[in-house]
Amino acid sequence: RIVNTTDGQLKNLTNNFIWRRRFSKPGRTFSVNLFNTSRVDNNDGHNLNKSEFYNEAGLRYRQRNTDYKVTTNRETGNSAVSFSFTEPLTSKKFLEANYSYTHNRSASNLETYNYDSVSHLYDQPVDSLTNKFENSSNFNRLGVNFKAVEKKYHYQIGFAVQKTELNNMDTRKNANLKQRYLNLFPTASFNYQVSKKKSLQINYRGNNNVPFITQLQDVTNVTNYPYMTKGNPSLKQEFVNKLMLSYNSFDLTSLRSFFINVYYTNVFNKIANSIEQKAGEQISMPVNLNGVYTLGTSFSFGLPIQNMEGGSINGTTHFDRTRNASLVNNEKNFLDYITVGQEISVNYTAAEKL
């Protein structure tokens, strides 16, 4: 028998400030964006576990009886500032430079006490289930984009460089974990105007996802026993490639439309789950795996209904094939699934009579 109860309070605060300036020279702009959030999360919980494990012969080989009180206090905050400057090189070519700095901070205090049957109080500290961490992360990002606009097409290419610093301090053990990354973020887009009613777009974007600091902590959490989790200090960042091809056709006179998108995403060093099951227990840990991707397409159409002014029929079809990866008892597993969807709607807009 396992019983988990939690009672808590959550407070959030968010604010944002944006300032933009246009200069007398056409195309020259400057903007500043400030963003800040704070969050306080306090929880009191109880974990009662009375478990017995039996083998195939029906003989009990282990039992677990625990009664814990768990107190969790978390405080997080995020502050960011970004600058963007656009300068026209010619009447058709523009250069945009941007810089952003982001600082994230968090503090967590987890205290676990065992129930004392003599004093009838939760007054016995459980050191293995008690920890106190102070985390911070700093992101410095500098980017540049070049954009050219012609009569039939326009394109944009750019990249950004980001330096990331993650710091995790275990104040109980006086241990400090630091991670540093230097990343490139390439982007490219091309838009071709086939005609006044038709256009073709190609977009590419690459980005890194760094692990959460909690995923790097070498700490085992057993509060949801027998389902336990732990961190992985050797975890690497993942890199995501996204490619999209789009075609749009819309006739304002006849209200006929057709849109199609084809997209492909793959992830290198995907942060996935490693699950180990043994003797009725399960422990999950984040690991890096390859072979994860998504390939999909969607298309939509709109047709007017004859002899019904203001009436139209619209439809959307989408198809996705996704492959995820995981480790189960040190064996690599792939999960492939296909999603197919279809939507059809009939719309009617009554014209106002004057």
Side-chain angles (χ1 to χ4, degrees):
R1 186 168 67 103
I2 300 175
V3 179
N4 292 315
T5 61
T6 303
D7 182 24
Q9 293 182 345
L10 176 63
K11 299 178 182 179
N12 278 313
L13 176 64
T14 301
N15 55 75
N16 192 24
F17 170 78
I18 300 176
W19 179 80
R20 293 187 179 95
R21 167 75 186 278
R22 290 185 178 182
F23 296 88
S24 56
K25 184 178 181 179
R28 178 181 292 176
T29 63
F30 180 72
S31 65
V32 179
N33 189 355
L34 300 176
F35 180 78
N36 183 72
T37 65
S38 63
R39 174 189 175 109
V40 178
D41 187 4
N42 298 320
N43 292 286
D44 291 321
H46 286 86
N47 177 270
L48 178 64
N49 187 346
K50 294 183 178 181
S51 304
E52 296 180 343
F53 300 91
Y54 295 85
N55 57 24
E56 295 179 355
L59 299 176
R60 187 180 66 185
Y61 64 89
R62 191 176 62 178
Q63 65 179 5
R64 182 182 178 91
N65 295 307
T66 58
D67 188 359
Y68 294 144
K69 176 184 177 181
V70 182
T71 300
T72 306
N73 299 303
R74 295 188 180 95
E75 294 183 8
T76 60
N78 310 92
S79 301
V81 57
S82 62
F83 306 91
S84 176
F85 179 75
T86 303
E87 177 67 20
L89 304 178
T90 65
S91 60
K92 298 180 178 181
K93 294 179 173 61
F94 304 86
L95 188 67
E96 188 261 340
N98 57 79
Y99 169 78
S100 65
Y101 171 76
T102 303
H103 174 69
N104 301 330
R105 59 200 179 277
S106 65
S108 64
N109 186 14
L110 173 65
E111 296 180 347
T112 305
Y113 297 92
N114 195 21
Y115 181 75
D116 188 344
S117 58
V118 177
S119 65
H120 302 289
L121 297 174
Y122 292 92
D123 55 5
Q124 296 181 347
V126 184
D127 290 339
S128 61
L129 301 179
T130 298
N131 56 68
K132 187 176 183 180
F133 291 99
E134 294 180 358
N135 308 315
S136 67
S137 54
N138 298 293
F139 304 88
N140 285 277
R141 178 165 176 160
L142 181 63
V144 62
N145 296 287
F146 174 78
K147 182 177 181 179
V149 180
E150 299 293 341
K151 183 178 181 180
K152 294 284 292 183
Y153 65 88
H154 64 263
Y155 65 89
Q156 179 174 306
I157 55 174
F159 71 93
V161 180
Q162 179 173 285
K163 180 182 179 182
T164 303
E165 297 180 350
L166 305 178
N167 294 282
N168 170 242
M169 171 63 75
D170 186 341
T171 58
R172 285 176 56 85
K173 299 179 181 179
N174 196 27
N176 192 16
L177 173 65
K178 294 184 178 182
Q179 295 279 351
R180 289 180 172 82
Y181 306 100
L182 186 63
N183 301 318
L184 288 176
F185 297 87
T187 61
S189 65
F190 178 80
N191 186 302
Y192 180 72
Q193 198 70 30
V194 181
S195 65
K196 292 183 178 181
K197 304 175 183 179
K198 302 175 182 179
S199 64
L200 179 70
Q201 300 94 29
I202 301 175
N203 295 279
Y204 166 77
R205 181 179 297 273
N207 67 277
N208 293 82
N209 294 324
V210 300
F212 293 108
I213 197 69
T214 52
Q215 294 177 311
L216 298 169
Q217 295 170 351
D218 190 13
V219 175
T220 302
N221 187 341
V222 299
T223 55
N224 195 30
Y225 185 88
Y227 305 102
M228 301 174 287
T229 60
K230 67 177 299 185
N232 181 5
S234 301
L235 199 62
K236 301 176 182 178
Q237 60 183 339
E238 60 182 26
F239 189 83
V240 183
N241 293 289
K242 298 179 181 179
L243 181 65
M244 176 177 286
L245 174 66
S246 303
Y247 174 79
N248 304 322
S249 175
F250 181 73
D251 190 329
L252 185 61
T253 303
S254 65
L255 298 180
R256 295 176 180 267
S257 63
F258 178 75
F259 306 92
I260 183 170
N261 298 309
V262 180
Y263 46 88
Y264 174 74
T265 301
N266 76 332
V267 186
F268 178 70
N269 277 337
K270 170 68 177 180
I271 299 177
N273 267 338
S274 172
I275 300 174
E276 185 176 353
Q277 298 171 328
K278 184 178 179 181
E281 297 178 341
Q282 176 178 298
I283 185 165
S284 300
M285 180 181 70
V287 294
N288 293 111
L289 297 175
N290 290 317
V292 176
Y293 69 87
T294 297
L295 176 63
T297 182
S298 66
F299 58 90
S300 305
F301 68 89
L303 298 173
I305 300 177
Q306 293 184 357
N307 302 323
M308 182 186 291
E309 184 179 356
S312 65
I313 182 170
N314 302 276
T316 300
T317 303
H318 64 86
F319 172 88
D320 294 302
R321 177 188 171 92
T322 301
R323 165 169 285 190
N324 280 329
S326 65
L327 281 181
V328 178
N329 294 330
N330 294 320
E331 292 188 7
K332 192 172 183 179
N333 291 268
F334 288 107
L335 176 62
D336 296 313
Y337 55 93
I338 295 175
T339 304
V340 180
Q342 178 66 58
E343 298 178 9
I344 296 290
S345 63
V346 176
N347 302 310
Y348 174 74
T349 303
E352 294 185 3
K353 296 183 179 181
L354 301 178

